[in-house]
Amino acid sequence: MARSVEFNEEQAIQKAMEVFWEKGYNGASLRDLTDAMKINSSSLYNTIGDKQELFVRCVKHYTNIRKKDLQNRLDSDRSPFSILVNYINDAVSVIINGDNSCMAVKSAFEVATNDQRVKDILKADSDYAYQFLYSLIKDAMDQGEISTDEDPELLADYFISTWTGWYESYILHKDGNKIKKMAQFFIKQISK
């Protein structure tokens, strides 16, 4: 009689996500993943599927965590501009102090160019981040915290692309001061 597979799938996905985040899709072996998840490969295939399916679930899990973080920020009592500044400073902190960079950025370059499902997940994540930034910027304009001469759509797009560039810059130069200065410059540019 076959043994039933019992494990906490959400915890297993979290552990696998951490492996993919550290090693990337191509660098993570099936053995790395199953060891981290504390299951054998047949359990993986029987419950989740193959490595690709596991990766898709991990990317969804990662983007759901990010979505919850953004929602929590919006639910705070702070002004839109202070939420935005806090988000920018937290992004800088993650870039400089994080062990593994941004899983979404890594996945976009490593996998999304060839995998439509991953691309769609990451696009939805980017669209959600754009809406988050756009609404903060627009609300900050309405409250007089950012000049109404600015275009909130352009600022949201600019920040998303700039943020990705900060990751690349830090990976290449390992200069935290440089990232902090760029962030402060961006904040100064949008401050009224």
Side-chain angles (χ1 to χ4, degrees), residues 91-107:
V92 168
S93 180
V94 167
I95 291 167
I96 294 170
N97 301 316
D99 293 332
N100 297 318
S101 186
C102 174
M103 186 175 175
V105 172
K106 282 179 156 181
S107 298

Side-chain angles (χ1 to χ4, degrees), residues 65-94:
I65 291 169
R66 287 166 43 120
K67 190 175 186 178
K68 287 176 189 171
D69 173 63
L70 297 183
Q71 189 57 53
N72 288 338
R73 291 173 188 274
L74 289 175
D75 291 343
S76 79
D77 293 335
R78 294 181 311 215
S79 75
F81 186 73
S82 67
I83 294 171
L84 182 62
V85 169
N86 184 262
Y87 179 69
I88 292 167
N89 289 329
D90 286 349
V92 168
S93 180
V94 167

Side-chain angles (χ1 to χ4, degrees), residues 16-186:
M17 181 194 78
E18 292 167 7
V19 172
F20 281 128
W21 197 349
E22 177 186 349
K23 297 185 174 197
Y25 178 79
N26 293 317
S29 71
L30 195 56
R31 169 69 130 219
D32 294 333
L33 295 163
T34 56
D35 285 353
M37 296 168 74
K38 299 188 183 337
I39 61 172
N40 60 42
S41 57
S42 62
S43 294
L44 173 67
Y45 288 118
N46 290 334
T47 58
I48 294 172
D50 61 7
K51 179 181 173 183
Q52 180 63 25
E53 184 61 34
L54 176 61
F55 184 73
V56 168
R57 289 196 191 187
C58 289
V59 173
K60 283 182 186 176
H61 180 70
Y62 179 80
T63 59
N64 285 336
I65 291 169
R66 287 166 43 120
K67 190 175 186 178
K68 287 176 189 171
D69 173 63
L70 297 183
Q71 189 57 53
N72 288 338
R73 291 173 188 274
L74 289 175
D75 291 343
S76 79
D77 293 335
R78 294 181 311 215
S79 75
F81 186 73
S82 67
I83 294 171
L84 182 62
V85 169
N86 184 262
Y87 179 69
I88 292 167
N89 289 329
D90 286 349
V92 168
S93 180
V94 167
I95 291 167
I96 294 170
N97 301 316
D99 293 332
N100 297 318
S101 186
C102 174
M103 186 175 175
V105 172
K106 282 179 156 181
S107 298
F109 288 105
E110 183 183 15
V111 180
T113 55
N114 299 317
D115 188 309
Q116 190 62 45
R117 289 188 305 165
V118 172
K119 183 178 180 179
D120 290 345
I121 295 164
L122 295 176
K123 183 182 179 311
D125 179 62
S126 179
D127 290 347
Y128 191 85
Y130 169 84
Q131 284 303 321
F132 165 80
L133 292 166
Y134 172 81
S135 66
L136 281 179
I137 292 165
K138 183 79 173 93
D139 289 349
M141 287 178 170
D142 292 345
Q143 293 183 18
E145 296 178 304
I146 295 177
S147 171
T148 55
D149 294 342
E150 301 296 340
D151 177 355
E153 292 175 356
L154 176 63
L155 286 176
D157 279 332
Y158 182 76
F159 177 70
I160 288 173
S161 64
T162 298
W163 181 67
T164 303
W166 294 347
Y167 270 108
E168 178 188 3
S169 177
Y170 190 74
I171 289 167
L172 296 176
H173 304 285
K174 295 293 185 205
D175 186 347
N177 245 358
K178 186 177 194 175
I179 306 305
K180 288 176 185 176
K181 285 180 182 177
M182 287 189 281
Q184 291 311 308
F185 178 77
F186 180 72

